Amino acid sequence: MSVVLPGSIIGILGGGQLGRMTGMAARSLGYDVHVLDPDPDCSARAIASRVITARFDDADAAADLARGVDVVTLEIEQIAKGSLEAVAEQAPLHPRAEAVFTIQDRIRQRTWLDRHGFPVGPFRAVGTEDECAAAVEALGPSICKAPMGGYDGRGQVRVKTPDEARAAWKSLGSGRVIVEQFLSLDFELSVLVARRADGVSAVYPPAVNYHVDGVLDWSVFPGPIPKPVADHAQQIGHAIAETMGIVGLVACELFVTTDGRLLINELAPRPHNTYHHSERGASTSQFEQLVRAVCGLPLGDVRPIAPAAIANLLGDLWEGITPDVPGALSVPDVRLHLYGKTSARPGRKMGHLSAVADSTDAALEKVLEGRRRFAKGV
Ligand SMILES: Nc1ncnc2c1ncn2[C@@H]1O[C@H](COP(=O)(O)OP(=O)(O)OP(=O)(O)O)[C@@H](O)[C@H]1O
Ligand SMILES: [Mg+2]
């Protein structure tokens, strides 16, 4: 395994907040960072010494990024296959193109999980309106999800009847749809696995996550859940990273259903919103861990060092007000993380608040109080 030492340059496909925070960790370790993103004002611009402005299906631009750096990773999975392959011809790409290709399409991903015996809820992949209606007839109340391009609950329609499924098929307009049975959830959790090229890996303890309208609202770490559930989730995450041959990070979102099943919701081959508290609550943040993993450095300790929480700050909070930053920061121990985005659209992730405390409940109370003050405006 080749080691990429500080002083080298890390290329990142994607310049959103995940790329920005990964880049900050890389810079702390003494690396330089180059980024490719379609948005010239992307969040990671602030920490990158070179920004290539290009679409993710521009294979020439991707090759250009790769030629100028020592190793390439990514912060978004929606990168065209041709671009991934073009990168891999010029520089080590972690995770590898094939794994990203499998994960980036919900149908490919879910089919892969199912075929390898990983636990997932009932689903059907459909290619016509009639099949979509028939799937809902068979599965009952469901969520119809476009296979690509959706995030933060976008590209999804909740349906109860075959007629609603027909309407959902039309509104998604994606030509292929995954119909997932609507599950009764007790709670949601995630695990994060870091793995190096030589197979050495580390699995973070699970986080417990709370979503509103399909978007992450808050997350706590380590998740206050029974040890057998935590152990099982970590085993699943580890097995996925091994089977897929992930180098870098893979996050696994899971459901615990009200009837006690542990089922995989979805995967992400990159840092994840539900581990932002690893910057406060874990010995090694997810961002530093990604750098260590793709550079072949020793993986950092994933031990919790303090119960931690984050609460997301969505663009809605900016509607008609100037958020009260000093107010939020007046809550003891609360830290503010803003991603440098200039336009605050509703639903857009603008930043988050983090805190640590004696318990995850207490840490959560701090970030929620911080957000209440933030939202009052000045
Ligand atoms: N089959 C399901 N049954 C019940 N709830 C679901 C189901 N699928 C999704 N959800 C709810 O919607 C949330 C978002 O779903 P999903 O993870 O598929 O969307 P996403 O757009 O990828 O979101 P994100 O980018 O925030 O991860 C889940 O975390 C869960 O709260
Ligand atoms: Mg999700």
Side-chain angles (χ1 to χ4, degrees), residues 13 19 35 38 75 92 112 114 125 134 145 179 181 197-198 202 241 246 272 293 300-301 304 337:
L13 294 164
V35 161
E75 61 112 49
W112 184 93
D114 198 34
K145 302 182 181 180
V179 181
Q181 187 175 74
D198 63 357
I246 293 287
H272 199 260
D301 201 324
H337 311 249

Side-chain angles (χ1 to χ4, degrees), residues 106 143 145 151-153 156 158 180-183 185 188 211 214 253 255 265-266:
R106 285 184 193 278
I143 307 190
K145 302 182 181 180
Y151 65 97
D152 294 345
Q156 305 195 359
R158 299 182 181 202
E180 295 180 16
Q181 187 175 74
F182 193 83
L183 301 164
L185 306 184
E188 298 188 50
H211 292 77
E253 300 177 13
F255 296 142
N265 173 28
E266 61 169 349

Side-chain angles (χ1 to χ4, degrees), residues 86-378:
V87 166
E89 278 175 22
Q90 308 292 335
L93 171 65
H94 301 311
R96 66 198 175 92
E98 195 59 35
V100 179
F101 182 69
T102 301
I103 289 178
Q104 69 184 195
D105 178 291
R106 285 184 193 278
I107 293 178
R108 273 200 294 274
Q109 180 194 130
R110 183 58 72 97
T111 307
W112 184 93
L113 288 167
D114 198 34
R115 185 156 45 84
H116 287 85
F118 292 106
V120 293
F123 74 99
R124 284 201 191 174
V126 300
T128 66
E129 185 185 319
D130 286 345
E131 284 174 11
C132 192
V136 174
E137 181 80 52
L139 297 174
S142 298
I143 307 190
C144 297
K145 302 182 181 180
M148 290 185 89
Y151 65 97
D152 294 345
R154 282 166 249 203
Q156 305 195 359
V157 186
R158 299 182 181 202
V159 298
K160 290 210 171 72
T161 64
D163 278 348
E164 287 177 16
R166 289 181 183 280
W169 170 269
K170 290 190 190 102
S171 75
L172 288 172
S174 50
R176 295 150 69 233
V177 161
I178 181 163
V179 181
E180 295 180 16
Q181 187 175 74
F182 193 83
L183 301 164
S184 166
L185 306 184
D186 188 358
F187 59 93
E188 298 188 50
L189 69 162
S190 51
V191 286
L192 182 70
V193 185
R195 189 171 176 277
R196 273 188 344 191
D198 63 357
V200 171
S201 65
V203 190
Y204 284 84
V208 163
N209 312 317
Y210 181 73
H211 292 77
V212 174
D213 298 332
V215 184
L216 184 72
D217 189 54
W218 54 257
S219 174
V220 295
F221 172 87
I225 57 176
K227 189 167 182 306
V229 179
D231 289 349
H232 189 193
Q234 285 181 293
Q235 280 160 16
I236 288 172
H238 180 256
I240 288 170
E242 286 294 314
T243 310
M244 234 181 220
I246 293 287
V247 176
L249 297 178
V250 63
C252 179
E253 300 177 13
L254 297 128
F255 296 142
V256 175
T257 61
T258 47
D259 60 5
R261 287 174 295 162
L262 182 62
L263 301 172
I264 300 167
N265 173 28
E266 61 169 349
L267 308 177
R270 51 166 171 79
H272 199 260
N273 194 172
T274 62
Y275 275 87
H276 287 357
H277 37 43
S278 62
E279 286 195 316
R280 309 289 310 275
S283 186
T284 311
S285 81
Q286 62 169 343
F287 306 110
E288 178 174 333
Q289 195 74 295
L290 174 58
V291 173
R292 288 179 179 230
V294 302
C295 291
L297 294 173
L299 293 181
D301 201 324
V302 293
R303 225 167 2 112
I305 51 173
I310 58 122
N312 273 339
L313 301 174
L314 299 185
D316 313 58
L317 290 168
W318 276 253
E319 294 259 283
I321 62 154
T322 300
D324 186 358
V325 168
L329 291 178
S330 66
V331 179
D333 187 61
V334 163
R335 288 190 198 162
L336 172 66
H337 311 249
L338 288 178
Y339 309 146
K341 298 180 183 177
T342 41
S343 58
R345 291 188 296 278
R348 190 175 195 205
K349 288 175 179 168
M350 302 297 291
H352 65 274
L353 298 172
S354 67
V356 293
D358 292 338
S359 67
T360 50
D361 277 354
L364 179 60
E365 192 36 53
K366 286 184 187 178
V367 291
L368 296 180
E369 174 59 21
R371 191 167 63 183
R372 279 191 289 273
R373 295 187 191 182
F374 191 82
K376 279 197 184 129
V378 288

Side-chain angles (χ1 to χ4, degrees), residues 14-80:
Q17 63 266 22
L18 302 176
R20 175 186 171 103
M21 291 184 276
T22 301
M24 287 179 179
R27 284 209 174 270
S28 289
L29 280 164
Y31 294 92
D32 193 1
V33 180
H34 292 182
V35 161
L36 183 151
D37 194 275
D39 177 4
D41 293 322
C42 65
S43 289
R45 167 169 287 279
I47 54 83
S49 67
R50 182 180 182 211
V51 181
I52 298 176
T53 302
R55 288 161 48 112
F56 294 133
D57 59 3
D58 184 339
D60 292 337
D64 186 21
L65 174 86
R67 269 192 298 273
V69 303
D70 299 287
V71 62
V72 179
T73 189
L74 49 92
E75 61 112 49
I76 181 169
E77 53 274 24
Q78 302 301 336
I79 311 283

